[in-house]
Amino acid sequence: MTPIPLAEELLLLAYDDQTGKATGSRIGLDLGMAAAVLIDLALANRIAYAADGYLKVVDATPLGDPVADAVLGKVASDEPHTPAQWLQRLRHRLRTRVLEDLCARGVVQDVDETQMGVIHVHRYPTSDPAYEAEIRQRLAAALTGDTLPDERTAALATLLVAARMEPALKLPAGESERAHERLAEIASNAGFVGDVSLEDSIVRPSVALVVATLGRAIQAALGAPKPI
């Protein structure tokens, strides 16, 4: 199956298949999706984290994905911004754009329910479960096995940690503790947490810098987690 953008993977994990409604933190999902687009550009060697603290374009060649290419154009043409600034600039209406693309491809469907004759409530139940099934299988293998995942899966797992989206994994109770440990391990080896050097990272050093700075920017924007 052809890989889909990381932002789409995050969204599919966050939305309930039957109700078509988002679960968990909406702001966490929006920030995570904004970071996901930037990480996809880093994985494709289009942007990098510069020594001055800004994200900069290193190759302006389009990827062929409308959302990613629009963001690439913004980063190339706008004044320099930090990762935290880009998250805030990109998160607005990004979810709507991604949902529109998924609907157009038949992955989810747009169910418009009018309430009280005037209020439109949109739900997005799954139409084609194959994409989400592949994502969950890939994550399950990474979180319950002993081998380190590929770069994209490592980046996705790190985004789940940063955006506090672990509940979206929906793993069996007996596997949750092991999965939590593996998430922390993968995030550490992707340069996000801990003192692992970039040379030991499971993603390229240039990508690890982008993943790490964006992950920390998400956590700073979300603030301290509420006590249970």
Side-chain angles (χ1 to χ4, degrees):
M1 179 176 292
T2 303
I4 61 175
L6 284 173
E8 293 185 0
E9 293 192 337
L10 268 186
L11 187 145
L12 290 175
L13 290 172
Y15 272 65
D16 184 89
D17 294 352
Q18 279 72 46
T19 67
K21 297 179 179 180
T23 60
S25 167
R26 296 181 67 87
I27 183 63
L29 174 58
D30 290 339
L31 290 168
M33 289 176 61
V37 179
L38 294 166
I39 290 172
D40 263 339
L41 290 173
L43 286 167
N45 299 312
R46 296 302 193 270
I47 66 170
Y49 181 73
D52 57 8
Y54 296 121
L55 290 177
K56 296 185 177 179
V57 171
V58 294
D59 181 354
T61 305
L63 296 179
D65 174 73
V67 174
D69 290 343
V71 171
L72 181 62
K74 285 181 179 294
V75 179
S77 60
D78 283 11
E79 62 184 61
H81 295 293
T82 66
Q85 290 170 332
W86 274 118
L87 288 183
Q88 297 300 333
R89 292 174 68 87
L90 296 175
R91 70 180 179 88
H92 300 290
R93 287 194 55 78
L94 174 60
R95 190 194 309 199
T96 299
R97 179 67 186 277
V98 171
L99 282 168
E100 289 173 349
D101 287 354
L102 288 171
C103 288
R105 302 204 313 271
V107 180
V108 300
Q109 59 179 312
D110 183 356
V111 178
D112 183 356
E113 297 178 338
T114 302
Q115 298 179 355
M116 301 174 65
V118 292
I119 302 174
H120 288 270
V121 177
H122 291 263
R123 298 188 297 107
Y124 298 91
T126 300
S127 298
D128 183 351
Y131 289 95
E132 184 178 347
E134 189 278 332
I135 299 165
R136 291 190 180 279
Q137 289 170 3
R138 204 170 79 240
L139 282 170
L143 298 180
T144 60
D146 296 319
T147 59
L148 292 175
D150 59 85
E151 282 189 314
R152 291 190 80 258
T153 305
L156 177 60
T158 303
L159 284 172
L160 290 169
V161 173
R164 300 173 190 166
M165 290 178 59
E166 287 187 46
L169 290 170
K170 300 178 181 177
L171 292 173
E175 298 178 1
S176 59
E177 184 175 351
R178 168 61 174 164
H180 178 79
E181 293 174 354
R182 284 287 288 170
L183 273 173
E185 179 185 354
I186 292 169
S188 176
N189 282 310
F192 173 48
V193 294
D195 299 320
V196 175
S197 67
L198 293 178
E199 288 74 16
D200 296 328
S201 173
I202 57 178
V203 300
R204 286 162 286 164
S206 60
V207 177
L209 278 170
V210 175
V211 172
T213 54
L214 286 170
R216 290 170 185 142
I218 292 173
Q219 287 200 325
L222 293 177
K226 295 180 180 180
I228 299 175

